[in-house]
Structure formats: structure tokens, C-alpha cells
Amino acid sequence: MITGNFEYHQPGSIPEAVALLSKLGDDARVIAGGHSLIPTMKLRLAMPEHLIDLQAVKELRKISVSGGEVCIGAMTTQAELIASEELHKAAPIVRETSLQIADPQVRYMGTLGGNVANGDPGNDMPALMQCLDASFTLSGPDGERTVNAREFYEAAYFTARDDLEILTEIRFPAYSGGYAYEKQKRKIGDYATAAAAVLLTKGADGSCEQASIALTNLSDTPLFCEEASRQLVSDGLDSASVNSAVASAMGQIDPVDDNRGPAEFKRHAAAIILRRAIQQAWARA
Amino acid sequence: MSATAESVQERRAALKGLGTSRKRVEDARFTQGKGNYVDDIKLPDMLFGDFVRSQHAHARVKSIDTSAAMELPGVIAVLTAKDLEPLNLHWMPTLAGDKQMVLADGKVLFQGQEIAFVIAEDRYIAADAVDLVKVEFEELPVLVDPFKAELPDAPILREDIADEKEGAHGARRHPNHIFTWEQGDKAATETVIGEADVVAEEMVYYHRTHPCPMETCGSVASMDKVNGKLTLWGTFQAPHVVRTVASLLSGIAEHNIRVVSPDIGGGFGNKVGVYPGYVCSIVASIVTGKPVKWVEDRMENLSATAFARDYWMQGKIAATKEGKITGLWCHTTADHGAFDACADPTKYPAGFMNICTGSYDIPTAYLAVDGIYTNKAPGGVAYRCSFRVTEAAYFIERMIEVLAIKLNMDAAELRAKNFIRKDQFPYQSALGWEYDSGDYHTAWDKALESVGYSKLREEQSQRVEDFKAGKTRKLMGIGLCHFTEIVGAGPVKNCDILGMGMFDSCEIRIHPTGSALARLGTISQGQGHATTFAQILATEIGISADDITIEEGDTDTAPYGLGTYGSRSTPVAGAATAMAGRKIRAKAQMIAAYLLEVHDNDIEWEVDRFVVKGAPEKFKTMKEIAYASYNQAIPGVEPGLEAVSYYDPPNMTYPFGAYVCVMDVDVDTGVSDIRQFYALDDCGTRINPMIIEGQVHGGLTEALAIALGQEIAYDELGNVKTGTLMDFFIPTSWETPNYQTDFTETPSPHHPIGAKGVGESPNVGGVPAFSNAINDAFRAFGLTHTHMPHDHWRIWKTANELGLHAES
Ligand SMILES: Cc1cc2nc3c(=O)[nH]c(=O)nc-3n(C[C@H](O)[C@H](O)[C@H](O)COP(=O)(O)OP(=O)(O)OC[C@H]3O[C@@H](n4cnc5c(N)ncnc54)[C@H](O)[C@@H]3O)c2cc1C
């Protein structure tokens, strides 16, 4: 439980951090809150020779809402996401989700950027970001680019981010419709057995105008359930249509056996959790 | 006269003696982060040790190459079995009469086993060097299932004793078999079962788990080569025994060894045994002449030092149609892992498992336990438990429920029908114990009334109706438990550890100004001894608890004792404390009589003083007496006021309790929710109600953990699947419900102050209460028994197998 040796760097700006990462290349890793990276280093599963700590890069720590768009700096901690009233007004699902991540101690350290960049299917923020249709801003030696959250995740720990890029910002449209993040876990501080993010907008006539569903820890990446979302919009929220949306979402999942239980159990729990999230979001819509 | 009466009360209150909810004196330092634990010990030139461990559960060690590690700057030495062999320390005896490898001698037998000990100038270099030691393995077939241990194709684990037909506890029938231990009357029990109206049968598994104290195990050894003295600080629940063992193993004379247990961050049985790390730190210090520290990390703690439980208990319980129990039969398959390192009194290879007739008057019973070797970590420690009492209580409290189902009877009623009655005490059990005292019916009735038992059952029936009607997906479980413990080991005539009788001790010194120092052979690991033992003494000798310092854990100063585990401190050392206090009082009486110029028999004790009978204005306080003992020549009386008592308990004590747990269980997700938990404990005389309540809360929370998810699980290759706190369940305040505590008070007739011990009761009684609640939730749907831990997926699986998901 003691890490290997590494050099520690603390750049003060994004260009400085990008330059360092380009220079040190494969031997370097960016460290944000460290609450995913350091445990892996202690197990010596990761043994980076250089750590580039982003704590001192002030511009990465911000939350702003303007013109219907939310912009969050990568180094914003989960505790800060929870505390922000402005963010809560613009997208209440973020607080609801953040409160279900780990425990208060972890949330004071863990960052949004680290959570989405990590690529661990157990992380909660990636599915939430897919649900909110967020985009990620990446800064690298060749400049800046954005990647949609729904296209970012390739496999467990593999993302569209190039090794030499730094994730700087997360942007998504403000969302004030019905929302729910439902998560089943064994205990406080546990990753999801199954979790679902759902956003539903109810029209004046009571129809479902907009729907977005994404799932956590039920495959080797977060899952945006495009077909299921579309079904709720086209067929409404009666029980038959919810059933078929859930069935469609379940068609996408591919959970694995682990200490939380066998895949068979997770399939069952996932359907229940998704159904509850849909009901809750619709009740709030 | 009324003024005096009042002042007697005031004086009594000022003592903060028995029955006072005195605040824990330890907490001032603990809450400020000022405790002093093993890892806080820093000595000049101290070196650090770290282990190379096996990733395999069973393999031959073909070679160990330490050369790359030795080249790393800062590495002092790398010890292997070859280095320990000349000292005959490559193996060490276990507390259970077996022996255990200190460092792998030719093969490894469990994942995480110690192979080499790296000694380096700092902790980080040691960890780097561990990675550089190259071990060549030849993998061997792995045995994880104790029921496959004696099959023809089973690998033989312990080649060192493969041919020995006799073990420490009698005949061995197979190289992977350790012992068979039988109690009770087999033939009579089988006859009763054969002829009974009703027999219920069940396999009850109490899964493998781990005490997982907040502080892991560790030691600092410091050999002073100039004066030949070895000082050993460590996480020891029994420091004196460690001193004796260290002397016997190392050949260093016992007076040249000082063992110190500093503050201990929880023990729960994890710190009773002797671990390779302790031995290696001692050897390393002897070799290098420098202090050597070894502290294990969390994963090492969970996977290598001391598991608990792992008992497969096959049971048969016989009764009349009316529900009067006539016989109990139990065969236990005990998975001991690679070495039998159970921490039990020598003559009890399965601890006090023969308390498994529980709170019931069962006339005929039989118990057999087979100990088996597997490729798992050694241990079998008493996790917040007096030597397998938890297993016994779980077994009988499950069997009662299973029998109630078979009889179609309410489980509370079945218990009441079979309790040992108050007038039957002292009660001779069919499996050999003499229960000292009890009043089970009173406790039981109080518990059922407090929770509104019949209303709860009505609500439960309604819930079943609602469930069947599709109105809810949550079932309700009512978990009952009435447990009887056996604690306070124990009488020297039948209890010893490595030959040391299980007495305990207290030595008291009263200072001239009337304050006191008392030292005991026990060692607190969170139990609050410094608080409660001072209270026992305060009442005995009339000096305020605030003026009494309690010291434990330093073998150079404390009297010899067997340490703290198995709820023995209050029953044994607490008794020694009271007895030593009485010696002080006897001497004080002589001094007081002299000072008051009356005969010894003309004065009597009153709270904090001796008073002349019939002349209440004539008295001498203990404070005055103490002063006089140091500054006056009293004819026929030695100066000073000190006493020591070594207490050999005449019997064990038998705390009991009645617990009720009410739970809601979501059949779809397997999530359970504790709605109510009521715990009535009878621990005899109550020394400090607040500490009792704290102990009950803590023990219940550990019970909750065990029942609802905590386990050490292995895969079929012997890999530990639950080696970190992500998977090994430790509840936080979030998972912990409110507990409702209550009590009755049935003093022990043989203990000087009637106290019985309480620290482990809630764990012993809590596990069956939680588990019974889960099982009970499904009773209406045909479930008789499902194994712990009752985590989400296993509850879901139970519901699934009962067909409760058919329509969802
Ligand atoms: C006990 C415990 C329980 C937890 N439970 C949960 C949970 O329930 N749900 C959950 O979602 N998470 C959970 N976590 C993880 C926690 O939320 C982490 O903090 C988070 O996953 C990673 O954020 P971080 O800031 O700590 O990132 P780090 O650990 O510092 O980094 C994680 C990875 O992302 C990379 N990275 C970080 N920032 C950037 C960046 N700006 N650009 C490029 N790469 C970057 C790092 O190089 C690293 O590979 C838990 C953690 C612990 C210790």
C-alpha cells in the first residue's frame, strides 16, 4: 500500500500543464483529487514516474451558468458541485448525483474532471454527463478540441482523450425539467450495483417532450440509452411504454459478476432502478 | 440523622463508583488525536520491515532471489526461512497446539503468506525492495472447500505433519484433518432424535469474516545489546503471554524482556495471536542491533492475520408435538485454514462451542467438531466473542427458528416454552457447563412487551397479505434472539493458554495523600478499563474514581495476567480488583481501629470511611487512614497501604440478553432496512451504564456488518476477493440504525461484585437477531433457512428462488 517513486510537478496554468505533459509523455499522469489515481498507485497497478498536479491551476476551478449553458472547470470538486446554488438551479440532477458519490471526505477531494476522465465504468459522473448531453473540452499540444460525452467512452479506462491532452472544462445545457439519479449500492462509499440518470420534460399537454436516459456500471462504459429515451418521447409514460423503454435499455447492458453480485442479479436490479428513476423524474417533471 | 443520610448519598455519588455513568477518562486523549499507538513509536535509528507475500494459495517455493533487493540503497537485510532456521524460528507454535511457518519453508499454503522479511532504513525503501525480491513458484492444486479435504484427489497441504496420526487434540484421520472434538452423549442424543415427534434439520453456515480493528497489527522490537534487554511494543491483547512465549522461543531470559502494549486501536480478537511480523521484527532487531518496526497495512490485515468463524454447523433438533425440546445434535466442519492458529484455551479446540444448547433446557445433546486444513489464512480467533460463543449462539438461535417453522409455532413462544427456568440455576447443561445464574423469562417478557410484539406480528401478517395482493414489494421481518454467553475464562483447573492458567490480577498502591494507582494484567483496546476499574475500586475502598489511576500493558510494571479477550477482563481482572480492594480495606480497618482506639470489630465500613458502631461522629476516612499508614508506627501493622490479588475464578459467568430486530426487505433489489432494534442485556451488576451502552452500540454494529455483508470470501483458486474496505463491509453512521437499549440485572453469584461482562454480548446476540429478521421476512413464502451474509444479491437470490420475482 505504498506507491512507487515519482516526481511531483505543480504547474500554475493550463499551457504550463499541457507543456509539461507533452514533455514528459507516457511516463506522466495528471493528478486531480487523487481519489481514483492514488489507490491504484498504492496497489502499484499504476506506477507513473511523474505526477502533474492540477491543484494550482486556478482557472480549472469554476462553475458558471450563462445563456442557458453550464460550464464547470475540471478541478471543481464534488463538494463544490453540491454547494453551488447557481448550479442547483440550472441542473438539480448534479447535486442529486454528487450526493450519492462516495462519502463527504472523498467528495472534498474528488473532482468532476477526474471523475469523467478516469474512464472507470463505476464512476457516476460519466453517465450523468451523457444524460445531460455534456461536452468535454480537451487541451493538448495541438490546441483545443471538444468531444461529446456520449462519444467519449471507448472501454474501461479507455477514452477519446489523448494521453497528452488535459480535460479542462465540462459544458452542458441547463435543465430544469424532471430529473432523477437512482443508485443502488451496498453502503456509503461504494460504487453502483446499478444506477440510472433520467431527465424528462413534460409538455403543457402532459406529453413527454424530451427524455434522456443513461446508466452507470452496467457495462464497461457508461451507457446512453438513445432508443429508450426516444421511446418515452414517442410513446409517453404509460406502463407499457415504460416497460418497453426499460426493456430496450436492458438490451444494452452487459454487467459482470463481482462482489456486488452475479450479472443476473444486476440485470434485475438495473431494471428496477431505471424504472424508479423514470417514475421519480416524471413525478418531478 | 437525615443530614447524615443525605451526606452518605453525597459521599457515595462523589466516589463515582459502581453504577455511575462516568465519562471515559481515555477519551480526552483519543478525541484530541493524542493516543499513543504502536505506529506512533519512533526510536532513534529505527529500521522498518515489510513482507514479501505469496500471491498463490498453494505453491512450492522453488527459489527466492534477494540479490536485486539487497542492491537497493537503504536495504539492510532480507530474511528468509533459511536465515531463521538456525535459530529454530522459521516455524513457531500456535496457541492451538499446532505450528505455523514464520516465513515460507519450502511451500506456501495461503494467499498472503509471509515469504521474506525486508529490513530497510525507511518504510518506502522497504516497500520498493519487496517488489525486487524474486520468488519462483511451482503452483499446486488448491483446496478451498473443507468438504473436499478428505476426497481421494485432495492435495495434501501440511506435508510437515502428513504422517502424524495424533495431533494436539487427539487422532487425525487424514493429513488434512486436524482434530475431532466430541462433547455430550452421542448415543442418547441419536436415540432421542430417532424417537422424537418432530425433528428439524438444517445446515447453518457462519461464514468466514475478520475482526478488522481500526488499527492493524504491528510491533517495534528493540534489542539493547549492551544490557541484553529486549523491549517489544506491539498490538498485544495479552502482553504477559507474549513475554513468556518470546522468552521460550528466543532463549532470552524472561526478566530481560519487556513487552508493552501501548494504546490499542481495537482488538476484537485480532491481537491475541502471535504473528510472523512480531517474530521477524524481534529477530531483525537482534540481528541488526537496531529497533525494527513492522506495521501491516489494511490488505495484509484482512488477508493474513486472523480470520474469524468459518463454521459449517449441521444441526438436528428434536421436540415433542407441543414444542418441548428433547434433544440437540450438531456436527461442525471447522475450516481452520493452513495452520490451526485458533486462540482458544488449550483444552477447547473448538472453544466454547459446547454452549450451543443456548438459553434452553435441553436434556440431551451431542456436539462433534472436525477441524480441517484448507488453503486459507490461519486464525479462527474469537471476534468480539468468547471462543466460538458467537457460532454457538447463531447455531441454536437459527435452529430454534427452524424448529418453530416445523412446528408451525410462533418462535417467541417456542423459546419461552424451553427457557431454563429461574429456579433451575445453577443449571447443569447437557454439554457440560454449569450456568451460574439467569432469569430468562423476565427478560424475554420485558423485551416482547417493549417492542409490542403481538402488534408487530399483526402488521407482518397484513404486509404478507398486501404483498400477495400486489400492493407492496417490501416484506417485513421480525428477528428474535435470546442468547446466553459463557465468558470470563476461566478457572485455572480447566482453562489455560500455552500452559498459563487463565487467572488475572490487580495490584493496588494507595498513596499517602489518599489517591491510588492500580495495575492490572489485562489491556484495554477501547473497552474503557481506566474508567470502569477505577469505579470498581472506588466503591471497594472509598476513594473517588477520579483519584485512581489505572495502568495496564507494561509487563515490567503490571502484575502477570492473561490479557483482554473473551469478555474476561471484568469477570476475572475486575474480580481481582475487587479482591485486592478488600485486602486494602481489611488493613485499613486495623489502622482505623488503632486510630480510633477501639477494637477492630467495633467499627464498620461506610462508603469512604470506618465508623465506630453506634457513634457515627467517630470515624476515620480512607484518606486519613492512608496518611496514617505512611506516617505512624502502628503496632503489629506494616507501614504502607498496598495489596495484590491474583484471582482464579471459580466458574465462568453467563451474561444473557433478549434482542428484537424489525426489518423491511425489498424483494426486488435485496435492500434491507432496519426499522427498529431493541437490545436488552443482562450483564449482572452494572458498573458504568454509559460504557455498557457504548459497548452494546459498537457490538451491535459489528453484528450488523457480519450479518448483512461482511465476509472474507475466496475464489476457487484461493484468491481473497474481499481484501479491501471497498468490499469488506464496515458500517458507517449511515448504515447504523438507532438502537434501543434496555436491561435486567441478575448478578453473578460467584463474582465478588456480581458483574458478568458485556463487551461481546451484542455481537453474540446481534448476529442471530439480524439474520433471523431476514429469514423471518420470507417465512410466509416457505423459506426455512438462508445463509449469511445477507447482502443485497443473496437476499435477492432467496426471493428469486422462492418465486417472488415471477410477476415483476
Ligand atoms: C472510498 C471511495 C469511494 C468512491 N466512491 C465513488 C462513487 O460512489 N462514485 C464515483 O463516481 N466515484 C467514487 N469514487 C471516486 C471519486 O469520486 C474520485 O475522486 C473520482 O473518480 C476521480 O476524481 P479525482 O479528482 O480524485 O481524480 P484522480 O484520481 O486525480 O484522477 C483520476 C484519473 O483521471 C485522470 N485525470 C484527472 N483529472 C484529469 C484532467 N483534468 N485531465 C485529464 N486527465 C485527468 C488522472 O490522470 C487519473 O487517471 C470513490 C473514491 C473513493 C476513494
Side-chain angles (χ1 to χ4, degrees), chain B residues 30 66 118 132 188 190 201 225 351 358 463 482 495 554 757:
Chain B
F30 291 148
T66 62
V118 172
L132 296 174
E190 284 172 357
E201 266 194 78
K225 292 205 168 172
R463 183 75 71 83
H482 191 288
C495 290
D554 183 338

Side-chain angles (χ1 to χ4, degrees), chain A residues 123-280:
Chain A
N123 284 133
D124 290 287
M125 288 299 181
L128 176 67
M129 292 303 135
Q130 293 191 336
C131 188
L132 284 161
D133 199 13
S135 61
F136 302 152
T137 306
L138 303 168
S139 238
D142 304 330
E144 217 174 68
R145 65 182 180 124
T146 60
V147 180
N148 194 290
R150 294 175 186 173
E151 273 133 36
F152 188 72
Y153 298 96
E154 293 164 354
Y157 303 103
F158 286 92
T159 66
R161 184 181 68 86
D162 185 86
D163 281 348
L164 299 186
E165 286 176 319
I166 288 173
L167 172 75
T168 55
E169 274 174 14
I170 295 101
R171 290 171 182 272
F172 53 84
Y175 189 89
S176 56
Y179 66 92
Y181 192 79
E182 283 281 327
K183 175 176 177 181
Q184 175 164 353
K185 56 184 177 205
R186 294 171 297 180
K187 57 176 180 183
I188 282 299
D190 192 18
Y191 293 93
T193 301
V198 176
L199 296 172
L200 297 172
T201 312
K202 199 186 267 181
D205 59 353
S207 68
C208 179
E209 279 184 347
Q210 203 190 326
S212 179
I213 296 173
L215 302 171
T216 295
N217 218 11
L218 291 163
S219 179
D220 70 343
T221 64
L223 294 172
F224 174 59
C225 304
E226 198 174 355
E227 179 58 30
S229 309
R230 200 171 19 235
Q231 275 178 18
L232 292 182
V233 174
S234 60
D235 303 342
L237 270 290
D238 63 47
S239 70
S241 134
V242 170
N243 281 347
S244 77
V246 170
S248 149
M250 291 305 108
Q252 276 178 264
I253 71 173
D254 186 18
V256 291
D257 298 353
D258 61 19
N259 287 324
R260 293 177 186 87
E264 186 198 6
F265 158 64
K266 292 184 177 179
R267 288 183 176 283
H268 191 112
I272 301 284
I273 293 298
L274 174 55
R275 197 181 299 275
R276 287 181 188 170
I278 291 172
Q279 279 159 0
Q280 171 77 322

Side-chain angles (χ1 to χ4, degrees), chain A residues 29-30 32-37 78 110-111 115 123-124 167 183 191:
Chain A
R29 283 285 280 278
V30 163
H35 272 48
S36 289
L37 183 55
Q78 291 146 13
T111 65
N115 200 297
N123 284 133
D124 290 287
L167 172 75
K183 175 176 177 181
Y191 293 93

Side-chain angles (χ1 to χ4, degrees), chain B residues 15 537-544 585 605 607-609 622-623:
Chain B
L15 292 181
L537 260 189
T539 297
E540 291 293 338
I541 63 175
I543 290 175
S544 168
R585 220 162 79 186
W605 178 250
V607 183
D608 58 352
R609 61 192 58 182
M622 189 54 112
K623 225 177 151 134

Side-chain angles (χ1 to χ4, degrees), chain A residues 1-5 43-44 184-191 259-262 264-265 268 272-273 276, chain B residues 123-124 127-128 131 297 299 666 668-669 671 721 725-729 734-735 792-793 796 805 808:
Chain A
M1 295 296 262
I2 286 182
T3 68
N5 285 312
L43 293 170
R44 299 196 173 207
Q184 175 164 353
K185 56 184 177 205
R186 294 171 297 180
K187 57 176 180 183
I188 282 299
D190 192 18
Y191 293 93
N259 287 324
R260 293 177 186 87
E264 186 198 6
F265 158 64
H268 191 112
I272 301 284
I273 293 298
R276 287 181 188 170
Chain B
R123 182 70 189 83
Y124 299 87
D128 289 342
D131 267 6
D297 66 31
M299 290 180 76
D666 182 329
D668 290 320
T669 57
V671 174
K721 296 201 296 176
L725 297 188
M726 181 58 81
D727 290 309
F728 185 86
F729 177 36
W734 188 268
E735 289 84 13
H792 297 167
W793 80 264
W796 174 86
H805 296 143
S808 68

Side-chain angles (χ1 to χ4, degrees), chain B residues 32-54:
Chain B
Q32 294 179 68
K34 295 273 162 55
N36 182 40
Y37 299 93
V38 169
D39 206 23
D40 292 321
I41 292 166
K42 295 185 176 71
L43 301 175
D45 294 331
M46 189 166 73
L47 304 174
F48 296 81
D50 196 1
F51 279 113
V52 177
R53 293 177 182 274
S54 173

